[in-house]
Structures are given as C-alpha cells and as structure tokens.
C-alpha cells in the first residue's frame, strides 16, 4: 500500500469520508462553557434553511442542524452517520454491490434505484444532479449541515419531495490559517486531509484550498483466500475563491475534483432457507471471491454564485456544471469459484452464478465457464442554473422570486460476460445501453409576513419536465432498439412529460423569545424516470404538519417536536432481479404515513451535555402491509464532555448510540430485519492548535442486511453493514 499526502484544492462538495477542523482548533479563544455549548449543538445556531440567516429555534420547520464541532466530535463522515442522529432519516447502504446502490428515506419516502433522490442535497446553493452524488466526495471543510424534513420544493427545487440536506462549507478567511488531519485505523486505513485559507488581496480576493487522501485495505476479506474485498482509495481536492470587487458585488467560485477506487460486487451469499436476518447474524453469508471486484468513480464540478446588492433587493445567480463517471466490474458468482462455499446442489460440479448459470473455476475443462462477470457504468453530465430576486432589511414583509433549470444526460451500460477455459475471448452474455435526457425548469416564490407574534408564510413552485430514453444494442450509438409507445407503435426513443405545482402554507406563533408553535400544509412532487425501457410514473404527496420549538433555563434545555400526516401517491420502489439490469421499478399506488419526531438537548453540568432523538413512523400501504424500509421506532442518545484537565489541556469525549425497531426490506412485509443498535465514540485530549483522539465506529460490530436481498436460487445475496472500525486521529491547526 502506498502512503502519501497530496495537498490539493478545496472545501467539500459532496458527502463522504474525511473532516477538517476540530472544536478546540476552530474556536481557539472560546471558554470551556462556550466550547461545551458549541459542541453540544444547543447553541443559538444560525441556519439558512429559508434562504436567509435565522436562528434555528425561530424557523417554523423541522430541522436538524449540525455545527462544525458536532460534525467532528460525532465523526460524521457520510450519509449513514448523519442518518443515525437525524429523526426519521433512514439510509440503507448497498455499497457491497456498488457505491451508488442505496436507499435514502426521510419520513418513509425513499429512493428508487435509477430514479431521482427523495432528498435534495445542496452544497452552497448548488443541488446535486443525481442520486449518485449522495455517496461521492467528502465532508472536509464543512461549516454546517442543515437537514430539513418535509417537502422543500419551492426553495430547493427538484428532488426535495421528502426534504433537503443543506451543506454550508467554510468560507475563506482574511487571515492566513491552515489545518491538517491524519487518521490511522484497523484495516490499514490511512486518511489525511489538509487545507489553507487566506487573502490574496485583503477583503477583495479570498481563497481556500484543500485536499483529502485515503488508502484503506478494508475490513471484509475473502474467507477462502484472504483478498481484500471492501478496499477503498480516494484522492480529492477542492477550492473556493471569493471575489469582492465592490461593496455591492460578490462572486463565489468553487471547483471540485474527486476520484475514488474501491471494492465492487462483494456482497455475501447465504442459504435462502433461513430468515434474512438470521443469515447474517450466524456468520452467514460467506464473503468469498476468486478475485476482488473494482469500481472507479470520478466527480468534477465547477460552480459560481453571484450576488449583487441593489439597496432594497438582492440579486443572485447560481451556475454549475457537473461531470460524473463510474465504472465497476466484478464476479457475478458471489463466491470463490475455485473453492466454492456453495457448490451447485445438483451434483454436476461448479457453483451457480447470476441467473443460475454455472462456473467451474480453475477446474473448468476446455469450453466450460471459468467465471462469470458483471460490469456496469454510468456517465452523467449536468448543467444547472438558478436566478432569484429577494427582499432585504424588512421587519414586516420578506419575499423572493426566482427560476431554475436543469439539463442532464445519462449514459448507463450494464453487461455480463464469461471467462471460458481454452480461449482468450470473453463472450458477452447480456448487454443493455441506455441514453437518457432530462430537461427540468421551474419558477418559484416565497413571501413571509410578520404580524405581531404571528408569521404567515406562503411559497410555491411550478415545474415542467421532459424525459427521453433511447436504448442501444452497441456502444457506438448506431444500433437502436426500437420500443413500442403507449399505442403499440414502434419508436426509436421513449418520451414522457410531467408538470406540477407545489404550494406550501405555514402559520407560526411566537409565544415568547424562546418558544414557538407552527402548522404547515404542503404538496410534494418527484418526477418519473426511465430505467432500461421501463418508466416509473411521477409521485405526489399531500403533507400536514404541526410542531413546537422551545428553549428553557437560559438555553440549557432545548426541546423541539413535530407530528405529521402524509398522503402518498405512486410510491416509487424497486425490486432486485437475477437478470440485467438487476433492478426494476415498482409502483405502490397509495401509501398513508403518519409520524412524530422529538429532538432534545440538556446541559446537566458545565462540561456535560446530553442529547436525544426519538422518531415514530407508521407507513401503511393500502393493502394493509407496511411500507418497506420504514421502522416504526428509531432514535439516538448522545453524550458530550468538554472537561479542562489543567490550564492547557482539555478532555473531549463523545459517545453516540443509535437504534431502530424491526423493519421490512421488501414489499408485502417480507424480509424482516429485527431491531438493531449501533455505538460510535470519540475520546481525546486537545489544546490550542493540537488534538489527539481515539475514534471508533460501529463498536458493537452490529450487522444487518441493508437492501432487499436478491435470490439466486437456491441461495440468497446479502448486502452487509460496514464492520467495526477504530483508530487514532491527530489534528493540527495553525
């Protein structure tokens, strides 16, 4: 394994692996009580959820806000970590098959593979163009994360039917500063990041550049030959340049490049006869491969945000171009064909592979299949533009209007091929190639009126979309596979259109400076999508919500809660199959969801803060079954300690326990997973400019199937949780 640290450009754009910054380093001059308040998350956090700076406790929406210090102390480095501390946010990770094979659900509204995400990810005002970006990149350089629950279409556009994750990165500073982080853990996991920030021209030209590196052998090895299956290598850099030529105008330009190379298609195989959870809890499935699968992903983005202060209004524009490429190839046998743990049960030799084909490994005779492989690639190009006008400096009426558009092209290829004994050829077994074009534009507006202790807010968005899909029988875009339209006439391409108006109305009442109540009614919308010739129709939701936000005893106790009801039409799900493309759209006509959420923090002593979340969810399909991947109960409990040891050193310690009740992974109340608990911890000592910590994730080594298990009769394929990880972390700031 090569170990090196490359200092590159940036401040993070999308969610992933390493964090820069530490509480003691980022807030060097704070007193211990101030440090405890920041670390606990009870402080008066300022959020921009409504496109203006406001105290979290004064925004009439269900929002979980994570400050920089909380992100570091809780070791939040990807969507899985974030979901375990956010009420009714459920992330199911199928990375054992592919890094973009997952399901993110907020309040029971999830994501279908190949479709648009249910939760919009926005980084410094720029939305992601596909679901894949949710698991690409890193959290290095993040100042704050705001998780907004409930439809957010008017302000955050497409993909916000269930909510939005708003990421705010660190702004370049006038003073020259730098920071670095090094981590080494089990699995020979080396991580490093570094960043510098300063002014090229004071107050006029500010720049922050950063780089991240990771080289990880992984913690899942083949049980037959010891090869590393879940290895991971990443190199990324980001930059953020701010130009302020006049007092009225600012340009914020960001660039990102991220490249990762890691394991692909290393899911385990177990007996189909056992309960899905029993299979994984009894050291089954078996993880075994003749050779590891590999996947390479690259992501690049250039984005510019322009602001102009025109006295009574502010004009702004956001422009971005994304380019994503990913390609993976791995065994379709889900076993080591040289030493199969699951030989074919018919006594004819070899082991069964995908679609019940057979492979014989190195024992194959001439003409027999040695091994079968599957390969997939996705190329995504997207252009986004948003313009808006917003009021400013008004105590009575606040408003904004704007418009945005997205153009996206996606090329998806899936193929299977064999390695045959006695020949150098690798004959292709199946091939699918689809090119999709998506065009999306919308106009939106919001107005808020402050009438005494009441605030009335109304917003809405009108969207129009066009979709086009063309299927090819080759890589060269020459051999078109014609498909029938709705009338049965063969066409070269499939076309669909959709439009939707998504209103939202809200009334809040401020009881006093520390307490408020609110009610909300809104509509949600998610566009349909093509998946290898099949079209999933658009979704719609009608949402009702009520909640309160309170602070007590000079903010030593914070308690926020909400209840909601959702009428959900045409829920987009997916089912796994044994033939390409291995997933097909499934539509559930009617789903009714009701639930409640509670978040609370209490500082019980100067150095100690306790936090907890509790979520209830009742997601019923009209046939009386429970919606998949929607546990009825879930929650978390956290403890943070910031205790001065002497005049120089401070003890910084945090533990997070999260849990969920039983849930089903597939429609019809099938593939039941019982309740599970997870434990993460971080403990260390720090002083001005330095810190050293022990960091542990999933310390109980909890395992559960993540995604609906596909069956390759007579076997079952299981997607596992990342195993226990632990290591030592060093942070420095200057």
């Amino acid at each position: 394994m090569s170990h090196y640290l490359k200092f590159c450009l940036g401040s993070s754009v999308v969610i992933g692996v390493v964090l820069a910054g530490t509480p003691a380093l980022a807030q060097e001059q704070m007193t211990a009580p101030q440090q405890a308040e920041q670390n606990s998350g009870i402080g008066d956090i300022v959020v921009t959820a409504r496109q203006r700076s406001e105290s979290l406790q004064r925004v009439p929406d269900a929002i979980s806000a994570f400050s920089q210090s909380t992100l570091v102390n809780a070791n939040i480095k990807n969507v899985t970590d974030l979901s375990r501390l956010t009420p009714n946010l459920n992330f199911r990770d199928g990375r054992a098959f592919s890094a973009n094979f997952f399901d993110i659900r907020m309040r029971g509204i999830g994501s279908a593979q190949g479709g648009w995400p249910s939760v919009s990810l926005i980084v410094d005002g720029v939305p992601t163009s596909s679901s894949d970006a949710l698991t690409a990149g890193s959290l290095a350089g993040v100042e704050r994360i705001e998780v907004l629950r409930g439809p957010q279409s008017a302000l955050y556009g497409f993909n916000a039917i269930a909510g939005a994750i708003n990421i705010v990165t660190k702004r370049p500073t006038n003073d020259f500063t730098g920071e670095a982080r090094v981590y080494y853990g089990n699995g020979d996991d080396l991580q490093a990041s570094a960043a510098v920030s300063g002014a090229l021209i004071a107050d006029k030209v500010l720049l922050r550049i950063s780089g991240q590196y990771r080289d990880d052998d992984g913690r899942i090895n083949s049980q037959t030959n010891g090869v590393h299956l879940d290895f991971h290598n990443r190199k990324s850099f980001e930059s953020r340049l701010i130009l302020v030529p006049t007092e009225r105008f600012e340009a914020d330009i960001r660039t990102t490049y991220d490249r990762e190379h890691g394991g692909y298609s290393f899911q385990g195989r177990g007996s189909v006869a056992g309960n899905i959870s029993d299979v994984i809890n009894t050291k089954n499935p078996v993880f075994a491969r003749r050779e590891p699968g590999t996947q390479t992903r690259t992501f690049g983005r250039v984005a510019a945000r322009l602001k102009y202060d025109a006295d009574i209004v502010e004009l702004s524009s956001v422009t971005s171009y994304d380019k994503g490429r990913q390609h993976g190839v791995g065994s379709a046998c889900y076993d080591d064909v040289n030493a199969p743990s699951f030989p074919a049960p018919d006594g004819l030799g070899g082991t069964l592979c995908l679609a019940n084909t057979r492979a014989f490994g190195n024992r194959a005779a001439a003409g027999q299949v040695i091994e079968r492989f599957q390969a997939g690639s996705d190329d995504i190009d997207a252009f986004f533009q948003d313009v808006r006008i917003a009021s400013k400096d008004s105590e009575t009426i606040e408003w904004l209007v704007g418009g945005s558009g997205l153009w996206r092209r996606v090329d998806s290829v899936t193929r299977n091929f064999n390695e045959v004994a006695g020949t150098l050829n690798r004959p292709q077994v199946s091939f699918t190639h689809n090119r999709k074009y998506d065009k999306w534009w919308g106009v939106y507006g919001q107005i808020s009126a402050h009438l005494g202790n009441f605030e009335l807010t109304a917003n809405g968005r009108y969207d129009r979309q066009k979709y086009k899909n063309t299927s090819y029988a080759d890589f060269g875009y020459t051999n078109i596979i014609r498909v029938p339209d709705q009338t049965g006439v063969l066409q070269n391409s499939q076309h669909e259109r959709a439009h939707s108006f998504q209103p939202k109305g809200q009334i809040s009442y401020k009881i006093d400076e520390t307490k408020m109540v609110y009610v909300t009614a809104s509509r949600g919308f998610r566009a349909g999508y093509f998946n290898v010739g099949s079209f999933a129709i658009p979704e719609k939701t009608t949402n009702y919500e009520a909640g309160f936000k309170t602070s007590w005893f000079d903010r030593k106790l914070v308690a926020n809660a909400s209840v909601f009801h959702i009428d959900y039409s045409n829920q987009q799900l997916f089912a796994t199959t044994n033939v390409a493309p291995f997933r097909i759209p499934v539509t559930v006509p009617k789903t009714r969801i009701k639930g409640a959420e509670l978040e609370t923090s209490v500082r019980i002593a100067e150095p100690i803060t306790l936090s907890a979340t509790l979520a209830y969810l009742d997601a019923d399909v009209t046939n009386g079954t429970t919606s998949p991947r929607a546990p009825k109960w879930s929650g978390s409990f956290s403890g943070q300690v910031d205790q001065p040891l002497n005049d120089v050193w401070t003890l910084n310690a945090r533990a997070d326990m999260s849990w969920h009740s039983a849930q089903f992974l597939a429609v019809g109340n099938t593939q039941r997973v019982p309740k599970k608990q997870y434990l993460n911890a971080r403990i260390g000592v720090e002083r001005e400019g330095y810190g050293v910590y022990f960091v542990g994730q999933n310390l109980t080594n909890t395992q559960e199937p993540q995604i609906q298990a596909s069956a390759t009769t007579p076997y079952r394929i299981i997607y596992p949780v990342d195993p226990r990880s632990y290591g030592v972390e060093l942070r420095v700031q200057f």
Side-chain angles (χ1 to χ4, degrees), residues 304 316-320 383-387 403-407 440 442:
S316 63
S317 168
V318 174
T319 306
S320 71
F383 175 81
F384 171 79
Q385 177 66 56
D386 177 87
V387 293
S404 60
L406 173 75
W407 176 90
W440 196 323

Side-chain angles (χ1 to χ4, degrees), residues 344-399:
D346 54 15
L348 299 180
T351 185
L352 295 181
C353 303
L354 195 68
N356 291 328
T357 55
R358 192 184 303 266
F360 295 88
N362 292 342
R363 299 177 303 281
Q368 287 185 324
V369 174
I370 298 174
E371 189 163 6
R372 187 175 184 182
F373 297 91
Q374 58 187 1
S377 65
D378 294 284
D379 294 346
I380 303 174
D381 293 88
F383 175 81
F384 171 79
Q385 177 66 56
D386 177 87
V387 293
R388 69 178 58 166
I389 304 174
S391 64
K392 58 191 296 283
D393 302 329
S394 173
E395 296 182 358
T396 306
I397 301 291
E398 294 174 300
W399 57 267

Side-chain angles (χ1 to χ4, degrees), residues 5-8 10-12 18-28 68-69 72 138-143 169-173 175-182 192-198 208-212 238 689-691 730-734:
L5 172 61
K6 185 176 181 180
F7 293 87
C8 315
S11 74
S12 168
V18 286
L19 294 164
T22 179
L25 310 182
Q27 298 118 10
E28 304 166 33
Q68 176 197 343
S69 57
V72 173
S138 78
L139 275 181
V142 172
E143 183 70 32
T169 66
K170 292 181 181 178
R171 184 181 175 90
T173 55
D175 298 330
F176 177 78
T177 61
E179 58 190 39
R181 168 190 181 259
V182 177
S193 65
V196 293
S197 177
R208 187 177 194 274
I209 60 175
S210 70
Q212 298 87 43
E238 298 100 13
Y690 302 93
L730 173 67
R731 291 179 180 269
V732 180
Q733 183 171 7
F734 54 89

